[in-house]
């Protein structure tokens, strides 16, 4: 499940609990992602020697930073929350940090209650929540206590005033693939988007990025999520005029249905562009109509390694969004260098020009508090995805 898909979920009431992860200096595992081995050479994960227990409240601790992880542990998104929490544990072990204590609070029983408990127990930083609605429920509570949120949401409307977003903001992927297409000489663009918040934001990003690249948005069409809605909008877009490239801002399965409709409508030879949603949909790779299409996303190189080690430890693969939990811990550990336990989190340091690194590559926060990511462009080719424009490795 990607961040966008997770945002569509709702949380039901359940029994709340908090699980404290105590990671000591004796946890001698692999180093953090800055020194992970090259792709394809995945090491085995040794048995950890760190301890992990379940406790009510937090013991007195003046040497560790108290950090809360707010994720769903009950309800329909519990599996996603568990995946993020597990990746958080792995990051603590891998980073060998003995200065951070992370306690997990269940937002499935109410995000506001979870945040209030976390703050009452002395946590000075909150990682999470996952869903934008939960972020809204928590923001005023956290702001009153001067406790920042580093959320896994990708909804830009909740960013700012102490809320920072690690989620994969879809507009960035649109801008990246449009810039690549423009660099290849394409100037006339079209867009096919769903009638949804995601579609509206993707279209806004499309307009802005085409203008910034010096191109022209010839036409855009929005469609209802139905077979007839998609068909009518795709054919109408295809008849709108000559275009070099068309963005389909939706899932890979929708794109597989839309491309033949565009071709039948007259958009022959037009290049197909996609968004970060395609990164996890293998069905695209083997579809003949999708061959040659481009999309932008974070790199999967280090995530593939994390997946292998996660599967070995937990017996199953993580959700793609689990990387955000891992990277949030690496970010926290880096911030502890000059952050004294018990004091307020130094938010100004999140805006460092050189940014941060993690499983999903380098990123830095813009003035709104949204993670701006270095993205790669891939092409659907021969049953797989081939990187044709690598992600930058430094800002």
């Amino acid at each position: 499940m990607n961040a966008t898909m997770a945002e569509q979920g709702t949380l039901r009431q359940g029994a709340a609990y908090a699980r404290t992860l105590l990671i000591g200096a004796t946890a001698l595992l692999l180093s953090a992602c800055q020194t992970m081995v090259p792709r394809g050479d995945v090491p085995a994960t040794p048995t950890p020697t760190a301890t992990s227990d379940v406790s009510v409240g937090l013991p007195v601790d003046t040497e560790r930073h108290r950090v809360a992880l707010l994720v769903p542990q009950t309800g329909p998104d519990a599996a996603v929350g568990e995946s993020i929490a597990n990746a958080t544990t792995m990051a603590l072990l891998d980073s060998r940090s003995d200065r951070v204590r992370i306690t997990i609070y269940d937002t499935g029983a109410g995000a506001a209650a979870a945040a209030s408990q976390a703050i009452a127990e002395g946590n000075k930083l909150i990682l999470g929540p996952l869903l934008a609605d939960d972020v809204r429920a928590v923001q005023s509570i956290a702001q009153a206590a001067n406790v920042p949120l580093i959320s896994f949401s990708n909804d830009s409307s909740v960013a700012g005033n102490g809320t920072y977003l690690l989620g994969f903001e879809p507009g960035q992927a649109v801008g990246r693939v449009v810039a690549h297409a423009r660099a290849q000489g394409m100037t006339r663009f079209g867009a096919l988007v769903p009638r949804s918040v995601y579609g509206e934001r993707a279209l806004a990003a499309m307009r802005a990025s085409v203008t910034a690249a010096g191109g022209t948005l010839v036409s855009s069409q929005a469609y209802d999520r139905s077979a007839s809605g998609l068909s009518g909008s795709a054919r109408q877009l295809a008849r709108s005029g000559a275009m070099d490239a068309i963005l389909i801002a939706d899932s890979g399965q929708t794109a597989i249905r839309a491309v033949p409709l565009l071709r039948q409508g007259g958009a022959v030879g037009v290049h197909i562009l996609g968004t970060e949603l395609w990164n996890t949909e293998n069905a695209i790779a083997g579809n003949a109509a999708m061959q040659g299409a481009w999309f932008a996303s974070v790199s999967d190189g280090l995530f593939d390694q994390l997946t292998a080690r996660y599967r070995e430890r937990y017996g199953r693969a993580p959700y793609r969004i689990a990387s955000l939990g891992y990277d949030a811990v690496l970010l926290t550990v880096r911030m502890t260098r000059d952050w004294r336990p018990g004091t307020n989190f130094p938010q100004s340091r999140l805006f460092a020009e050189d940014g941060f690194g993690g499983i999903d590559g380098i990123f830095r926060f813009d003035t709104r508090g949204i993670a701006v990511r270095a993205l790669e462009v891939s092409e659907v080719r021969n049953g797989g995805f081939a990187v044709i424009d690598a992600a930058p490795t430094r800002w």
Side-chain angles (χ1 to χ4, degrees), residues 80-171:
V80 182
E82 180 184 28
S83 194
I84 293 173
N86 289 342
T88 299
T89 300
M90 293 179 67
L92 279 170
L93 293 168
D94 289 353
S95 64
R96 306 178 186 181
S97 176
D98 60 354
R99 300 192 63 193
V100 177
R101 179 195 300 275
I102 293 184
T103 304
I104 304 177
Y105 298 85
D106 179 22
T107 58
S116 295
Q117 182 183 357
I119 292 170
E121 292 181 348
N123 292 281
K124 298 298 184 181
L125 173 66
I126 291 175
L127 307 182
L130 170 64
L131 304 177
D133 285 346
D134 286 346
V135 174
R136 294 186 183 96
V138 165
Q139 282 177 314
S140 61
I141 299 169
Q143 288 172 17
N146 196 23
V147 174
L149 309 176
I150 298 180
S151 172
F152 308 124
S153 171
N154 66 353
D155 187 339
S156 59
S157 69
V158 300
N161 297 319
T163 297
Y164 304 87
L165 302 189
L166 275 183
F168 306 128
E169 200 276 319

Side-chain angles (χ1 to χ4, degrees), residues 47 76 138 143 246 299 307-308 349:
T47 301
V138 165
Q143 288 172 17
I246 291 176
S299 173
T307 296
R349 290 179 52 208

Side-chain angles (χ1 to χ4, degrees), residues 40-237:
D41 185 9
V42 181
T45 305
T47 301
T49 57
T51 61
S52 176
D53 70 353
V54 179
S55 62
V56 178
L58 294 176
V60 175
D61 192 342
T62 60
E63 297 183 358
R64 291 185 179 92
H65 293 278
R66 294 178 177 178
V67 177
L69 176 66
L70 268 62
V71 291
Q73 297 282 285
T74 55
D77 294 305
V80 182
E82 180 184 28
S83 194
I84 293 173
N86 289 342
T88 299
T89 300
M90 293 179 67
L92 279 170
L93 293 168
D94 289 353
S95 64
R96 306 178 186 181
S97 176
D98 60 354
R99 300 192 63 193
V100 177
R101 179 195 300 275
I102 293 184
T103 304
I104 304 177
Y105 298 85
D106 179 22
T107 58
S116 295
Q117 182 183 357
I119 292 170
E121 292 181 348
N123 292 281
K124 298 298 184 181
L125 173 66
I126 291 175
L127 307 182
L130 170 64
L131 304 177
D133 285 346
D134 286 346
V135 174
R136 294 186 183 96
V138 165
Q139 282 177 314
S140 61
I141 299 169
Q143 288 172 17
N146 196 23
V147 174
L149 309 176
I150 298 180
S151 172
F152 308 124
S153 171
N154 66 353
D155 187 339
S156 59
S157 69
V158 300
N161 297 319
T163 297
Y164 304 87
L165 302 189
L166 275 183
F168 306 128
E169 200 276 319
Q172 296 178 30
V174 172
R176 178 73 167 96
V177 76
V178 166
H180 176 78
R182 184 67 187 89
Q184 307 309 307
M186 300 178 187
T187 61
R188 296 173 61 81
F189 296 84
L192 187 63
V193 303
R195 296 187 190 278
S196 66
V197 173
Y198 180 88
E200 291 171 0
R201 291 177 179 168
L203 181 56
M206 182 69 171
R207 289 195 180 105
S209 56
V210 168
T211 299
T216 301
L217 183 60
V218 175
S219 179
S220 64
Q221 293 292 327
Y223 57 88
D224 296 323
R225 292 187 180 276
S226 64
S228 59
L230 178 62
S231 176
S233 295
R235 293 177 187 277
Q236 187 171 349
L237 178 63

